Amino acid sequence: MCELFAMSARFPATVRLSFTELARHGGATGPHGDGWGVAFQEDTDVRLLREPTPASSSACATLLQHHEIQSDSVIAHIRLATQGGRALKNTQPFVRQLGGRMHTFAHNGRLDGIEQAMPLTGQRFRTVGDTDSEHAFCLLLEGLASLWQGGEVPPLAQRYDLVCAFAARVAELGPANFLYSDGDALFVHAHQRKQESGSFAPPGLHLLFRVCERDELPLSTDAVQVIRSQPEQEVALVASVPLSPEAWLPLREGSVLAFRGGKLAAGALAAHPG
């Protein structure tokens, strides 16, 4: 299965997805060699980098280890293709414009038959590639579009309720871990992923909170380095598998959480039992 990573931070921070360990999963120590991408939120826009090649051998991914891109919201994806060939159009994260801002989405799992079970109802959001993930993103935006008609950011509670309803629907089709950002909040749905036993089961995502005191770094591991830009930085990190030896929280199946500024803004934290 693909792997996901996301960060929500109180202040913009430099995130070096180094892809030292994370990218090793992308074709070296792991099988995820069908592409990689990372989206850095920048106000209402997104700085998007993605390639349909293994992250572990990508010169562009290596450049990201040293390039000072700051953001308070980041979504990254490394791909193991299950639907759609190895091509840029099938490489996540996906982005679309809605309500005058860029929205970002990445999915880990397999939603067999989603095109037939949940067809798109309009022409506003169309898929470019051939993946179930992009179809799911377009469905999500169709459901949210009515909230974004007024030119203002809709209330978080309304957006959260619609994301919860969407998550429940797509989870009926298969593993449906996803990350979604509308530029105001980062939404996370934890479901199931393929475990070492070969079966699909929770946890699908893991969560780690870090608070940066004046002279400390929030996180520095072989996989991800988050460098503070301000004292009292706060970050929330989400990943398919723990990226450091710390006590990452395995999220309960079906959890839908929303983060702003490195803090939980909606939803209830619950650990996967066991």
Side-chain angles (χ1 to χ4, degrees):
M1 294 178 71
C2 305
E3 289 194 19
L4 302 173
F5 170 82
M7 181 200 74
S8 171
R10 181 179 178 185
F11 303 107
T14 298
V15 180
R16 290 177 179 161
L17 286 178
S18 66
F19 290 115
T20 35
E21 178 58 27
L22 192 65
R24 281 205 234 6
H25 294 190
T29 63
H32 311 85
D34 296 316
W36 66 274
V38 55
F40 300 89
Q41 192 73 37
E42 193 168 311
D43 194 15
T44 57
D45 208 344
V46 169
R47 188 189 301 264
L48 178 66
L49 299 171
R50 57 188 183 133
E51 291 182 310
T53 56
S56 57
S57 59
S58 166
C60 186
T62 301
L63 177 66
L64 278 179
Q65 299 179 39
H66 309 289
H67 192 49
E68 300 285 336
I69 299 178
Q70 289 198 343
S71 177
D72 59 9
S73 182
V74 176
I75 290 177
H77 182 275
I78 54 175
R79 186 175 186 233
L80 174 62
T82 54
Q83 289 193 23
R86 182 190 285 188
L88 183 63
K89 65 182 181 180
N90 294 327
T91 304
Q92 304 186 48
F94 300 116
V95 298
R96 293 289 192 281
Q97 183 278 139
L98 174 62
R101 58 179 57 220
M102 298 302 291
H103 296 238
T104 307
F105 183 88
H107 164 247
N108 160 225
R110 183 161 183 159
L111 306 173
D112 290 326
I114 189 172
E115 296 86 355
Q116 293 74 38
M118 302 176 186
L120 297 172
T121 59
Q123 298 296 311
R124 182 172 182 183
F125 301 106
R126 303 280 299 277
T127 58
V128 176
D130 312 308
T131 67
D132 50 350
S133 302
E134 187 183 16
H135 186 93
F137 182 30
C138 291
L139 278 174
L140 173 61
L141 294 182
E142 278 192 347
L144 289 165
S146 62
L147 292 182
W148 289 88
Q149 299 303 313
E152 301 292 333
V153 176
L156 178 61
Q158 294 181 16
R159 289 176 282 149
Y160 176 78
D161 287 346
L162 284 177
V163 172
C164 287
F166 165 79
R169 288 180 64 204
V170 295
E172 295 178 356
L173 299 177
N177 307 289
F178 67 78
L179 309 170
Y180 161 62
S181 172
D182 58 17
D184 175 71
L186 170 69
F187 298 86
V188 170
H189 176 236
H191 192 217
Q192 302 174 354
R193 64 177 279 105
K194 193 172 185 178
Q195 306 297 333
E196 291 183 1
S197 64
S199 63
F200 288 90
L205 290 172
H206 295 75
L207 171 67
L208 179 69
F209 286 109
R210 295 296 301 269
V211 176
C212 173
E213 301 299 337
R214 184 172 296 272
D215 297 320
E216 297 177 350
L217 295 178
L219 180 71
S220 184
T221 75
D222 284 342
V224 178
Q225 186 180 44
V226 181
I227 302 174
R228 70 172 174 85
S229 58
Q230 298 286 340
E232 301 177 0
Q233 174 70 289
E234 298 176 70
V235 296
L237 303 168
V238 178
S240 296
V241 294
L243 299 176
S244 68
E246 298 163 279
W248 290 68
L249 178 72
L251 293 174
R252 183 185 294 273
E253 181 178 4
S255 296
V256 180
L257 308 174
F259 299 92
R260 273 179 174 157
K263 295 181 178 180
L264 184 66
L269 286 180
H272 168 64

